[in-house]
Amino acid sequence: MGGAVSFKSLCRTTLINVVVFAILILLLDMGLTLSRFEKQPRSYGKDELTCASELTGYDYCKSIEQVYYLDKRDRIFPVYNYIDVHGRSTYRTPDLIPPVRQSRKIYLLGDSFIQADELWIEERFEHLLRIAGFDVEAHGYSSWNSWQYRRIGDALSPKAGDEIFIFSMSNDYTPHYGNSTIQSLTKFEKVRDEATQEVDGGFWRAYSRQSFFLNRIYFDLKSLFDHQFSANPTNDAGSKGHRPTRGCPTQDSRIAVASGLAEDYLMLDGPSDCWSQRMTESVDLNIAMLNQLKSKLEERGAVVHILLVPAGWAFPDQNTVGRMASDYEFPVGSVVSHHGLVNYFQSHGLKIDDLTGPLSKGNRGENSLYYAVDGHWTPHAHAVIFDHLMNTYLRGQ
C-alpha cells in the first residue's frame, strides 16, 4: 500500500513539475519573443493594399509597414520594414536618416536583393552608403527585371554626375522563370489589374511564427530529421541535381536536370553556342533594354553602372538549403554561375560588373553571403557590396 501511495505521489509531483516547467518556458518564451515582437502591418483596404502599378506591372504597395518572416534556420526574429509613399524603403522615423554630405546622388535599381526585406534597413548597403554621406534613392522590389528598370529609369531625374547602379539578376535572363524580362512583357496586360491580399491570422498566428523556442526547436528537429533520414541529404554529391561543366550539357546530364529553370541556369553557365533559341532571344532582349536605359540616363548626365548579381549556387557553400529545392536540386559543393552570360555580354559590347568576384573574396564560409534557405544576401554580403562600390566607383572621386 505504501508503495502504491508513493508511486502516485511521485507521478503527481512529476506532473506538477512538468506543468510548472512548461509555464516557466512559456513565460520565458513570451518575454524573449515579445521583447522583439512588433505590431502587425496596418490594415488597409483592398485598393490601398494592392496598389497595382502601371509603371512596373506589379502590385506595389504605396505606403505600408511590413513584418518579414524568414525561415528560422536563417534568422530567429522577424524584420520590420517601412515603405514610403513612393514605394521605397525608408526608416522608422525621419531622424534616423543620416545627413547628406556628398554632392552626388546615388540611385540603386534592382529587385528583391535591393528591397532586402529580410534585413533591417540599417543592415543594407543603401544605409551604409548614406552613412558615407550620400543621398541614396533605392528602387527595388520582388522580381523586377530589365523591363521594370527601363520603365523606372525613364521616370528618374538625375543631375549631371549622379551615379546610377543597376543590379541585374541572372533570373532576369531565364525564359522559364515566371518573372523574367521576356515573360513580363508577355503577361503584363493580363496581370496588371489582378490583386493579392495578405492573410491576417491574428495575434496567435503571428506570435507562433515569431516564438523563440517553438521555431528554434522545430527547425532544429527538422534539420536533424532531414539530415539523418532523408533519402537525399543536402551533402549527398550523388543526388539528382546536376554538377555542371563548362561545356555543352550532354543528353544524359539534361535528363538529370530538375526543371526547365534549372536548365536555364546551366545554359547561362555554359558557352552561348549551347544556348537554345529562346535563351538567346531572352538575353538579347535584356541587353537591348539595358543599353537603352543606360543611353537615356547618360544623356541626362548620369554615370551608369550595370552590375550582375550571381545566385547563391554560384558559390559551393552558399544557399545550402534553398539550392536543393525541387526547381533546382543543385547539390552543395556544386557551382552554377553565369560564366557564359558574362562572356556573351563582353562579346556584344555591354560593359558589366560581375559581382561574383568581390563576393568570392568576401566569402567567410558556409552561408555567410546568402541565407541558407531564403537565398538573399546576408548583412555581411551587404557590407561586401558596399566596400566594392566605394572602392571601385565612389571613394576619392
Side-chain angles (χ1 to χ4, degrees), residues 8-53:
K8 288 182 179 179
S9 176
L10 177 63
C11 289
R12 185 168 53 253
T13 301
T14 301
L15 179 61
I16 292 173
N17 289 337
V18 168
V19 171
V20 170
F21 180 75
I23 292 174
L24 290 175
I25 288 294
L26 177 61
L27 291 174
L28 179 59
D29 181 58
M30 292 185 70
L32 287 169
T33 302
L34 294 179
S35 67
R36 295 292 298 272
F37 184 90
E38 302 242 23
K39 64 180 180 180
Q40 286 294 285
R42 292 198 301 265
S43 177
Y44 283 80
K46 182 177 179 181
D47 292 338
E48 293 175 294
L49 179 62
T50 55
C51 314
S53 170

Side-chain angles (χ1 to χ4, degrees), residues 190-214:
K190 297 179 182 178
V191 304
R192 64 178 179 177
D193 295 325
E194 291 181 2
T196 58
Q197 280 192 288
E198 292 190 15
V199 177
D200 182 9
F203 172 82
W204 286 111
R205 175 177 171 81
Y207 178 82
S208 67
R209 295 179 71 184
Q210 300 187 58
S211 166
F212 182 86
F213 285 109
L214 287 179

